Amino acid sequence: MHEDQTPEGVTQRTAPGPRAPQQDDPVDAPDTPAAGANGPRHVPVMLRRCLDLLGPALAEPGAVVVDCTLGLGGHSEALLNTFPAARLVALDRDKEALRLAGERLAPFGERATLVHAVYDELPEVLDRLGLPRAQGVLFDLGVSSMQLDEADRGFAYAQDAPLDMRMDQSTGISAAEVLNTYPPGELVRILRAYGEEKQAKRIVSAVVREREKEPFTGSARLVELIRDALPQAAKRTGGNPAKRTFQALRIEVNGELTVLERAVPAAVSALAVGGRIAVLSYHSLEDRLVKQVFAAGAANTAPPGLPVVPERYQPRLKLLTRGAELPTEEEVAENRRAAPARLRGAQRIREEAL
């Protein structure tokens, strides 16, 4: 792969050849394989609706659209194809995702700038690139196909793999370290808060008991422990009984909700007036955070009782979706991983009050 350095900390990647086919996680991954002109290609979730939401802001020459969660580049490729006047800036914390997506987006040349960054770093990335504002921002949250397809990443509970779960394997602690070192009370909190696991105490008691015998290293042992720890009634509903624990560990390892709390307000602030943002979430914790930011931006902040609301108190955002939009039955039939998706959109309608 060829890499051309742009401003400090930003790498524009171009490379020939098609990307490798990938697969996704059954819980909350955004992409799944589908046949395409060049072989299997992953299907970006709610793609047409995302393009429709962002489109009105991307028609003018020089419009900048930011894909905050590049993954394998499905949404980014569609954005570049659909809006030929737009420039793409795409972020991902996963270097392997950047490499694969760089191959896919190479035909677009300098229109695509790929950056190794976490999505709450969006303002700094735009600043380094000399781009004052963006006209469009897209988030497709959750785990990417590539991360789930590589066994050594440890995201998928359907196969035995090292318990890693780091989206950026060059930094941070692994899921195994969390399981083996966190105090029991902290593990219970994580499973309840991030996995909404009602049986957190049972699972953590079993984890603590087993880690004293031998530290956890692989996912299969954890899956078996969870199955044994849960009562029969809890195993009869909700799919694989390990999915909530795996989700909770992944969120903790990558600080996903903490990052998202910073990232969505930062993205709204980075939008030019008239710019649009679309966010795809895959579980209620993510969607709740997005809903709160959008609702706050769409509300006026005037003290109650004013006969006329001054400009400085007027909403900054206009909501583009009525609540969270769901995928169609046809989309779910084509891509079963789209089922939990929730899409919200908003438009920036004025600057911050002075």
Side-chain angles (χ1 to χ4, degrees):
M1 184 178 67
H2 175 69
E3 299 186 356
D4 298 318
Q5 293 298 321
T6 54
E8 181 182 357
V10 178
T11 303
Q12 182 169 341
R13 298 159 183 257
T14 58
R19 72 169 183 87
Q22 303 294 324
Q23 292 185 345
D24 302 310
D25 177 62
V27 181
D28 61 0
D31 308 317
T32 196
N38 298 316
R41 304 279 280 193
H42 71 294
V43 180
V45 170
M46 299 182 74
L47 175 60
R48 173 44 55 191
R49 186 62 181 128
C50 289
L51 296 175
D52 288 344
L53 283 174
L54 296 174
L58 301 180
E60 294 299 319
V64 174
V65 60
V66 182
D67 185 345
C68 288
T69 47
L70 172 63
L72 290 169
H75 283 103
S76 283
E77 182 181 51
L79 287 164
L80 288 164
N81 277 323
T82 307
F83 307 108
R87 173 183 177 181
L88 172 80
V89 176
L91 282 56
D92 207 292
R93 68 171 79 185
D94 192 311
K95 293 180 180 179
E96 182 65 5
L98 288 167
R99 184 185 70 79
L100 293 170
E103 295 176 359
R104 181 175 192 164
L105 302 180
F108 299 99
E110 294 183 355
R111 288 182 61 208
T113 303
L114 278 56
V115 186
H116 182 227
V118 184
Y119 42 71
D120 65 338
E121 299 175 279
L122 169 60
E124 291 83 357
V125 170
L126 291 178
D127 183 63
R128 291 199 299 267
L129 290 170
L131 301 171
R133 291 293 180 91
Q135 281 66 46
V137 176
L138 173 67
F139 287 87
D140 186 13
L141 304 171
V143 187
S144 78
S145 303
M146 180 274 303
Q147 290 161 344
L148 289 152
D149 209 33
E150 293 187 354
D152 64 352
R153 307 299 289 270
F155 286 100
Y157 43 74
Q159 57 183 332
D160 191 22
L163 279 169
D164 192 317
M165 298 194 191
R166 289 174 298 166
M167 293 179 179
D168 182 351
Q169 291 189 301
S170 68
T171 187
I173 65 171
S174 68
E177 290 176 88
V178 171
L179 279 176
N180 293 326
T181 65
Y182 275 31
E186 184 66 2
L187 286 176
V188 170
R189 183 195 67 79
I190 290 167
L191 265 60
R192 283 178 174 167
Y194 299 157
E196 300 178 293
E197 175 57 74
K198 296 178 180 178
Q199 304 294 331
K201 279 192 173 182
R202 283 177 178 263
I203 294 171
V204 170
S205 293
V207 165
V208 171
R209 188 166 57 247
E210 286 299 311
R211 76 185 187 184
E212 290 175 354
K213 301 175 185 177
E214 182 181 353
F216 283 89
T217 57
S219 58
R221 182 180 171 211
L222 178 59
V223 171
E224 183 179 2
L225 177 148
I226 293 168
R227 289 187 185 278
D228 291 344
L230 296 182
Q232 286 300 320
K235 291 186 279 191
R236 285 197 288 267
T237 59
N240 192 307
K243 71 178 184 180
R244 290 178 294 275
T245 296
F246 272 63
Q247 174 181 294
L249 289 171
R250 190 199 82 216
I251 290 173
E252 170 66 16
V253 165
N254 296 290
E256 291 177 40
L257 294 180
T258 302
V259 171
L260 189 62
E261 285 179 341
R262 296 190 297 265
V264 179
V268 169
S269 295
L271 283 176
V273 172
R276 291 176 167 224
I277 179 172
V279 184
L280 278 162
S281 304
Y282 294 86
H283 58 74
S284 60
L285 302 172
E286 293 172 339
D287 184 56
R288 191 177 304 134
L289 285 174
V290 177
K291 176 183 177 181
Q292 290 169 350
V293 174
F294 283 9
N300 79 66
T301 57
L306 290 183
V308 178
V309 178
E311 173 69 18
R312 66 181 181 276
Y313 297 130
Q314 295 285 352
R316 293 177 298 133
L317 295 179
K318 179 178 74 173
L319 301 183
L320 300 175
T321 52
R322 186 182 294 273
E325 292 187 358
L326 310 181
T328 64
E329 292 181 2
E330 292 76 15
E331 286 175 303
V332 174
E334 179 186 11
N335 177 5
R336 63 189 176 85
R337 279 100 187 207
R342 301 292 182 269
L343 175 63
R344 294 182 186 269
Q347 182 179 21
R348 182 74 178 268
I349 56 175
R350 72 173 182 87
E351 291 287 0
E352 302 281 355
L354 297 178

